[in-house]
Amino acid sequence: MNAPAFNENLHLLNGNHAVAWGVRLAKPDVAPLYPITPQTPILEKLIDFQSKNEFDAELLTPESEHSAMAAAIAASATGARVFTATSSQGLLLMHELLHYASGARTPMVLFNVNRTPGAPWGFWPDQIDSLSQRDTGWIQFYSENPQESLDTVIQAFRISEAANLPVMINHDAFYVSHSIEPVNLPSAEVVDGFLPRIPREFQLGDDSGRSLGAPLDQAGWNLTRQDMDVAMQGVERLTAAAGGDWAKLTGRPAAPLELYRCEDAEVVFVTMGSMCGNAREAVDRLRENGIAAGLLKVRLFRPLPAEALREALAGVPCAIVLDRNYSPGTGGVLHQELKAVLFGIETPPRLHGMLAGVGGVNVPVETIEKLAAEYRNAAPSAQPIWVE
Amino acid sequence: MLEIVILGRGGQGAQTAGNQLAQALFAKGYFVQTFSTYGGARRGTPVTSSLRVATRPIRQRCNITQASALLCFDDSLLDETFLRQGKDDALVVVNSARPSEALGGLGNRRIIPVDGKAVARRNNMGKVVNSALLGAFAACLGKPDLDTMCQIIEATAPVKKQENVAACREAFGLLTQASEGVG
């Protein structure tokens, strides 16, 4: 875990304010934003910074999230560094333009606070809002804690601008977004050095008379997706490089995947976001009681680090996926992705899919411990299991 | 790890109190994590603030179900559902003019009343009880020390800084003899 050491640079911040600090340090030129619970503290903090002349991005507050994303795409197309943030219904309203942003190859960073979509109405941590956007061509990260959210915002601008693909970072409502805890703020000099301005290969408004997104024939359209595929394939390497450089500057590593106590593990939990914290605690307690448990944390979800996942899980006797989301008709999204990734490898784990925490219900550490005891020697089911 | 749950009614300042307590413990070198229930919260409905305190980074991201200490802003909220969020031997501090025996317990939980409203009134704070309750709670917990708690209250109270600090000091003094530390 990229937890900070106790020192004088630590500040007590909630997860959303940590994001706002990351944005302030990354110095975007334009930030179109529309408020929505539980994202709003990000917007409020940026406005607070701006009122004190500490943040000079052009803040746009249009009439909807759809318009915010349209403004973000247009701004990025002119070469501006762009940030936006939303949650749940807001992200879903952006859906059409999420495809447009990746197709137009406009780099930007979007921070999404994972929240249940209606109906019924709710405000609870659940990742189906962003996971249901997995096919829109956005790079997706899932963050475990406020420190990681701040660090990932800064790294994401570098990754996005290098790949010419938009990045969506996600953290869970309340357990991360509103959790106040010590966060280490990097200095402006460190971030400036880490995040240089890279001139874009193409940008509108430079008097060269270009257009963006004009109609293409079938073959031309097909080529845009082949180009995107090449760019996506480079993202895992870019993420590892950005995380490696960040670790050198701050001491906090940030890899696409994290393996926690997986060496010799007989059972490995696989999960994303805030659930990783509880799973770490469960792993330690299980090991104290003689069960060799481990955690495989998926930080980069799109592109899915397929080879690395196969390597991490090959030969592991049992893997238990903890999905804080539910895709009706199939089950947990991460479970589904892992089944696909592990298909055909020689020594796959027995893979169990647990719907744990759907709708934001509490998943205490003890519940995760019990899953290991109950399922580590059980035959896997193709169906997901609802965890009480 | 010390786990604390604070329960109040929306608008009473339970969430603010949780944040101030976290800041004071952080100032003393503890890792802290505090979060609130949210969403349906509005003035008058029950609101909880949860707080974890440890000497190493805190990893759990789940509700607190076995708190070592509970602080209740309103004795009308002191029911079994709330008390069950604490361990059997949890320390419970409750804002009440009634004596301990009248409050009814559960298990071996030690229920300590503090008349926050009377302390607030004596210090020109009207019905605003959060600084008084923080003083009482810190005395019972054995941390943070009174000066640190008062510094944070002074730095963060939006109005009536000196009155808030005085209420905190008076309640801390009232509870100091009557209590022993936990955690």
Side-chain angles (χ1 to χ4, degrees):
Chain A
M1 182 170 81
N2 59 350
F6 212 98
N7 64 41
E8 69 280 4
N9 295 326
L10 283 185
H11 298 258
L12 272 190
L13 298 176
N14 70 37
N16 281 350
H17 288 178
V19 169
W21 265 101
V23 175
R24 169 180 161 164
L25 288 161
K27 298 180 183 162
D29 304 303
V30 179
L33 285 154
Y34 190 87
I36 179 169
T37 299
Q39 171 270 116
T40 305
I42 298 176
L43 169 56
E44 288 170 341
K45 194 70 185 170
L46 290 174
I47 289 173
D48 180 40
F49 288 151
Q50 192 168 61
S51 73
K52 296 172 185 160
N53 295 320
E54 295 164 340
F55 179 67
D56 66 359
E58 186 172 354
L59 271 173
L60 306 173
T61 52
E63 72 283 7
S64 73
E65 288 89 349
H66 190 276
S67 298
M69 182 48 61
I73 293 166
S76 177
T78 69
R81 181 172 283 175
V82 179
F83 173 80
T84 187
T86 190
S87 177
S88 185
Q89 313 295 139
L91 184 69
L92 303 177
L93 185 57
M94 287 179 178
H95 173 77
E96 174 201 1
L97 288 168
L98 296 181
H99 282 282
Y100 202 100
S102 61
R105 305 295 299 274
T106 44
M108 68 181 74
V109 174
L110 180 159
F111 208 101
N112 178 62
V113 183
N114 288 122
R115 166 190 154 184
T116 47
W121 212 238
F123 309 88
W124 318 125
D126 185 302
Q127 296 167 347
I128 199 62
D129 57 350
S130 56
L131 288 171
S132 67
Q133 307 308 309
R134 64 183 153 162
D135 299 329
T136 57
W138 283 61
I139 297 165
Q140 284 199 9
F141 289 98
Y142 287 81
S143 167
E144 177 180 347
N145 57 46
Q147 181 73 64
E148 184 174 321
S149 296
L150 182 152
D151 291 343
T152 304
V153 165
I154 294 163
Q155 293 162 42
F157 278 104
R158 180 147 127 183
I159 295 161
S160 180
E161 289 166 10
N164 282 315
L165 285 169
V167 176
M168 182 186 303
I169 311 166
N170 302 278
H171 68 197
D172 288 327
F174 306 113
Y175 287 134
V176 185
S177 70
H178 285 62
S179 180
I180 299 174
E181 52 193 73
V183 175
N184 200 311
L185 295 180
S187 70
E189 296 73 40
V190 161
V191 178
D192 287 347
F194 178 83
L195 212 50
R197 299 271 169 175
I198 308 168
R200 300 272 176 79
E201 194 180 348
F202 304 108
Q203 66 185 56
L204 298 183
D206 62 359
D207 299 328
S208 60
R210 297 174 187 277
S211 71
L212 181 73
L216 281 182
D217 64 11
Q218 297 92 324
W221 204 94
N222 180 294
L223 272 180
T224 65
R225 266 42 187 178
Q226 293 192 36
D227 282 348
M228 205 189 287
D229 192 32
V230 171
M232 272 287 176
Q233 286 179 35
V235 169
E236 193 180 334
R237 184 183 49 75
L238 288 170
T239 301
D245 286 351
W246 191 247
K248 280 182 213 147
L249 293 166
T250 65
R252 294 188 296 276
L257 301 178
E258 182 196 338
L259 281 75
Y260 178 71
R261 304 189 79 174
C262 283
E263 66 293 346
D264 77 358
E266 57 167 308
V267 53
V268 169
F269 296 106
V270 190
T271 191
M272 306 197 291
S274 68
M275 191 73 76
C276 295
N278 296 340
R280 272 175 218 283
E281 201 69 26
V283 163
D284 287 357
R285 292 188 198 172
L286 285 163
R287 283 196 174 255
E288 277 168 26
N289 291 314
I291 296 177
L295 164 68
L296 172 54
K297 164 175 162 175
V298 179
R299 176 171 171 260
L300 175 65
F301 174 76
R302 274 291 181 275
L304 194 70
E307 281 304 322
L309 282 167
R310 288 162 76 110
E311 198 179 307
L313 290 172
V316 171
C318 174
I320 298 176
V321 186
L322 305 172
D323 267 301
R324 198 187 271 283
N325 68 82
Y326 168 60
S327 172
T330 173
V333 171
L334 188 58
H335 182 215
Q336 184 186 341
E337 298 272 337
L338 281 173
K339 280 191 283 189
V341 154
L342 296 173
F343 183 77
I345 71 169
E346 271 182 30
T347 50
R350 295 184 299 276
L351 190 69
H352 300 277
M354 302 293 164
L355 297 169
V358 173
V361 297
N362 189 39
V363 181
V365 176
E366 298 75 38
T367 299
I368 301 175
E369 284 180 83
K370 280 185 203 150
L371 290 177
E374 198 174 335
Y375 290 97
R376 71 192 159 112
N377 294 318
S381 159
Q383 299 303 318
I385 295 157
W386 286 90
V387 175
E388 296 300 324
Chain B
M1 180 156 56
L2 172 61
E3 293 187 308
I4 296 167
V5 177
I6 302 176
L7 174 67
R9 294 190 180 277
Q12 277 189 315
Q15 194 177 333
T16 304
N19 293 352
Q20 289 172 324
L21 185 59
Q23 287 181 57
L25 291 161
F26 177 62
K28 299 308 288 180
Y30 289 99
F31 284 96
V32 294
Q33 177 196 66
T34 181
F35 56 94
S36 305
T37 55
Y38 192 102
R42 57 195 177 276
R43 194 165 288 272
T45 59
V47 175
T48 61
S49 172
S50 303
L51 177 60
R52 292 190 169 97
V53 186
T55 51
R56 65 175 177 88
I58 295 162
R59 305 183 295 185
Q60 282 98 321
R61 295 192 180 271
C62 48
N63 299 348
I64 293 176
T65 52
Q66 288 285 296
S68 312
L70 303 170
L71 173 60
C72 184
F73 268 55
D74 185 331
D75 62 10
S76 69
L77 292 170
L78 191 71
D79 60 7
E80 278 205 19
T81 311
F82 174 59
L83 289 172
R84 283 191 195 286
Q85 291 182 55
K87 293 178 187 170
D88 273 349
D89 60 350
L91 164 74
V92 185
V93 176
V94 55
N95 176 27
S96 179
R98 294 188 284 166
S100 182
E101 311 81 65
L103 291 168
L106 186 72
N108 297 318
R109 293 166 179 85
R110 289 170 291 155
I111 299 192
I112 301 175
V114 54
D115 192 350
K117 219 160 139 185
V119 175
R121 209 178 298 124
R122 282 198 291 276
N123 289 280
N124 192 29
M125 288 295 301
K127 291 178 182 169
V128 181
V129 294
N130 54 341
S131 294
L133 296 185
L134 275 177
F137 197 50
C140 297
L141 277 175
K143 64 172 81 99
D145 63 90
L146 178 59
D147 287 344
T148 306
M149 194 66 254
C150 288
Q151 280 162 18
I152 297 295
I153 288 173
E154 191 172 357
T156 52
V159 292
K160 293 193 179 180
K161 288 180 186 290
Q162 291 317 313
E163 290 86 342
N164 272 290
V165 168
C168 177
R169 284 192 183 279
E170 182 184 335
F172 188 96
L174 285 174
L175 272 290
T176 298
Q177 303 102 330
S179 62
E180 52 185 278
V182 294

